[in-house]
Amino acid sequence: MTMQFLDRPPRFLFFTGKGGVGKTSIACATAIQLAEVGKNVLLVSTDPASNVGQVFNVNIGNRITPITAVPHLSALEIDPEAVAHAYRERLVGPVRGVLPDDVVKGIEESLSGACTTEIAAFDEFTALLTNTALTADFQHIIFDTAPTGHTIRLLQLPGAWSNFLEAGKGDASCLGPLAGLEKQRTQYKAAVETLADSARTRLILVARAQCATLREAARTSEELFSLGLTHQYLVINGVLPSIDPSCDELAAAIYRREQAALATLPDILKTLPCAQVELKPFNLVGLDALRHFLTRPIDSPSSCEIELPESWDTPNLAALIDHMATDGHGLIMLMGKGGVGKTTLAAAVAVGLARKGLSVHLTTTDPADHLTHTLEGSLAHLTVSRIDPSKEIELYRKQVLDTQGAQLDTEGRALLEEDLRSPCTEEIAVFQAFSRIIREAGRKFVVMDTAPTGHTLLLLDATGAYHREVIRQGGETGLHSTTPMMQLQDPKQTKVLLVTWAETTPVLEAANLQTDLRRSGIEPWAWVVNQSIAAAHPHAPLLRQRAHNELREIHAVATQYARRYALVPLMEHEPVGVHRLLELINHHTEGSDQGDKETMIEPVLQQNTEPGEHLVCSM
């Protein structure tokens, strides 16, 4: 298929999409293709999990670095965390030692979220959009990771940020990071104008052939369209080629599932020029692989077998559920980036506990009514409730505008309304709804499929919102004197499960989330590596090689990040309905001892097996 996004490319190309969809590989391949036809190209990464340097086997960092193996190509890696740290210090440094420590700590926390990181990174790369002297030598500048629509909207706000914050009116989630940006307003205005100019800029949405990531791409597209960023293209990466069902039933089932997702693209994506990139057997590292990534398939190995060492037991989800069931009740929260399967795993955990005769309340924000419909009434001891995020957000917005916004002038109210469109707002609003259900965890299991980040939790706790909400709900009786934050920090009452895929970017994102939670005093109880190809023991050579690629990430989860973990395989059938969920729970990898699940989830961390030892391959 023709790569339409490469037809007559403008000067600036932005690749955006969820972690793990392949933005970096496609951005690097695009940069090489343009450079090899004689264009001077600068490749810029603002991805927190950037591996551009690893792809080219060059130490890049925060400086323009020529890629000697590719004439005409240079690269630059903006480290968002380092930039955000420097940005915070510029704001907090002058008041440290002047204001009380608790006030300084509150300011630091308000600047610790994702919004600060994104705005700080945008602060860095706007110079690349507007400083012609800095980039005069380059005909094309390619960005691996674009700013979100929310960040762009914030940067378009009227010039009242500083006064609004200094007056103490900005007691909200995302306006804090905007403090002190007034000097750059002219530069930001020029940058936003460049982003909206189709003659200069092209936005490429990257997704996978999966319903969840395609829905996310559709939401991103709609938001960017609403801001006037209309020159969009779609790339669907990692599409499994057609395969003989007799070769591998799993591969054939995945192919059918992906084709069904592609046949039902969201309407807004159907309007975009679209290209599909076939799934490759190898990680896209090295110039030869990248040169051919967008132009032709890469040959799969002819014969390849994966074996897990006998000393490396691979725990399944049933092992974790058995462990959780011994408590008899409690709150179980599943956290992770969008698209990694939190809702399905929450349903599986709930079904697994209910099958043991334990009372379980599964509460979800999943709009997929078929899942909740399948579960409702179909299993004893299990109740299901669905929280509508849009309704909860509207209730929360109204509450904040009626209280905090009541005394604001028109400009201040407009700023507050913008902040209430931030991602943090949805987390807060939904969690307020969840908090009404959390109290049940003292007598039954409550399983939550969506949860706020540690940053949001700390902000809420610092402002007393949790405590006020609990006291309000409990009245004067004092029956609910333990705040939700205190309950979340108590490992006897709450177990947090981090969900990820066995791929580099999703694992790093989950690790960052774990750090975020630990900062708020919450220690994740376990990790769940979802949709693992390695755990499914495929037969098709392409999938076997993909399984081999997973082993290093699984090893990192087991030895570096998780106290305990479970592998959940990529299933031949969609895990919808009690029967399929039970299959997912009880699946076990070959060679693992299912007789003693309690020991399986602990000693695995003591193994030092190298990923390369899991593969036997003949080419």
Side-chain angles (χ1 to χ4, degrees), residues 13 48 56 231 254 294 299 386 429 452 506:
L13 291 94
F56 290 110
H231 211 57
I254 295 170
L294 299 177
D299 294 335
R386 193 181 88 83

Side-chain angles (χ1 to χ4, degrees), residues 164-175:
F164 184 74
L165 293 162
E166 289 169 3
K169 300 175 183 177
D171 183 25
S173 58
C174 291
L175 289 175

Side-chain angles (χ1 to χ4, degrees), residues 484-496:
M485 185 66 167
M486 293 163 60
Q487 182 171 343
L488 298 182
Q489 292 171 329
D490 185 352
K492 294 181 180 179
Q493 300 185 65
T494 300
K495 287 181 171 58
V496 173

Side-chain angles (χ1 to χ4, degrees), residues 104-408:
V104 173
K105 184 177 180 181
I107 296 172
E108 289 177 332
E109 182 55 42
S110 72
L111 296 171
S112 68
C115 288
T116 298
T117 302
E118 192 170 345
I119 289 172
F122 191 77
D123 189 37
E124 286 285 305
F125 75 61
T126 46
L128 300 172
L129 291 174
T130 59
N131 188 335
T132 55
L134 183 63
T135 60
D137 295 336
F138 300 102
Q139 293 162 283
H140 295 288
I141 302 176
I142 297 173
F143 291 91
D144 170 22
T145 301
T148 65
H150 171 62
T151 299
I152 295 170
R153 283 202 312 271
L154 287 174
L155 296 171
Q156 290 175 318
L157 286 175
W161 300 328
S162 297
N163 291 338
F164 184 74
L165 293 162
E166 289 169 3
K169 300 175 183 177
D171 183 25
S173 58
C174 291
L175 289 175
L178 297 171
L181 292 185
E182 185 63 28
K183 294 178 182 178
Q184 289 90 348
R185 283 197 59 76
T186 301
Q187 180 172 299
Y188 288 156
K189 184 174 184 292
V192 172
E193 288 173 353
T194 298
L195 286 170
D197 184 353
S198 61
R200 290 184 286 172
T201 299
R202 182 171 295 174
L203 290 162
I204 299 102
L205 308 177
V206 184
R208 293 277 183 92
Q210 300 166 348
C211 290
T213 59
L214 290 170
R215 284 195 300 266
E216 183 62 34
R219 285 193 291 269
T220 300
S221 180
E222 289 173 356
E223 186 174 28
L224 294 173
F225 263 111
S226 71
L227 296 169
L229 281 66
T230 59
H231 211 57
Q232 302 174 21
Y233 286 67
L234 176 65
V235 176
I236 302 176
N237 188 33
V239 180
L240 188 69
S242 178
I243 195 165
D244 181 359
S246 64
C247 172
D248 189 334
E249 292 181 1
L250 173 65
I254 295 170
Y255 174 78
R256 290 192 297 269
R257 193 182 309 167
E258 290 186 347
Q259 292 303 308
L262 295 174
T264 56
L265 275 179
D267 289 341
I268 194 168
L269 297 185
K270 292 178 182 177
T271 67
L272 303 182
C274 178
Q276 294 183 21
V277 180
E278 281 193 359
L279 181 69
K280 304 300 189 293
F282 299 103
N283 289 328
L284 272 297
V285 176
L287 294 179
D288 186 58
L290 288 168
R291 281 191 175 102
H292 302 296
F293 180 45
L294 299 177
T295 56
R296 67 173 174 80
I298 296 175
D299 294 335
S300 298
S302 59
S303 177
C304 197
E305 252 181 68
I306 294 174
E307 294 180 357
L308 294 174
E310 293 182 2
S311 60
W312 190 48
D313 291 329
T314 53
N316 63 7
L317 194 58
L320 295 184
I321 292 173
D322 283 353
H323 199 152
M324 289 185 283
T326 60
D327 294 334
H329 63 85
L331 175 64
I332 299 169
M333 301 169 70
L334 286 93
M335 296 187 180
K337 293 294 184 179
V340 294
K342 296 186 297 294
T343 297
T344 297
L345 290 178
V349 169
V351 165
L353 292 169
R355 289 280 292 199
K356 296 178 179 295
L358 299 163
S359 183
V360 183
H361 182 173
L362 169 63
T363 179
T364 177
T365 58
D366 177 39
D369 291 333
H370 67 274
L371 180 59
T372 53
H373 176 74
T374 301
L375 290 173
E376 282 179 351
S378 62
L379 191 62
H381 310 292
L382 175 62
T383 59
V384 181
S385 64
R386 193 181 88 83
I387 293 171
D388 186 336
S390 59
K391 291 181 180 178
E392 297 300 331
I393 291 168
E394 285 308 309
L395 288 172
Y396 178 73
R397 284 174 178 160
K398 184 177 186 304
Q399 174 191 346
V400 174
L401 290 171
D402 289 348
T403 53
Q404 294 183 25
Q407 306 303 317
L408 298 178

Side-chain angles (χ1 to χ4, degrees), residues 476-532:
E476 301 300 324
T477 63
L479 293 177
H480 306 299
S481 58
T482 300
T483 68
M485 185 66 167
M486 293 163 60
Q487 182 171 343
L488 298 182
Q489 292 171 329
D490 185 352
K492 294 181 180 179
Q493 300 185 65
T494 300
K495 287 181 171 58
V496 173
L497 277 61
L498 294 183
V499 183
T500 186
W501 289 334
E503 297 180 10
T504 303
T505 300
V507 168
L508 288 175
E509 288 179 339
N512 290 336
L513 176 56
Q514 178 162 268
T515 300
D516 187 23
L517 290 168
R518 285 172 172 169
R519 196 176 72 249
S520 61
I522 298 171
E523 179 63 34
W525 184 75
W527 284 47
V528 181
V529 180
N530 193 28
Q531 298 183 22
S532 168

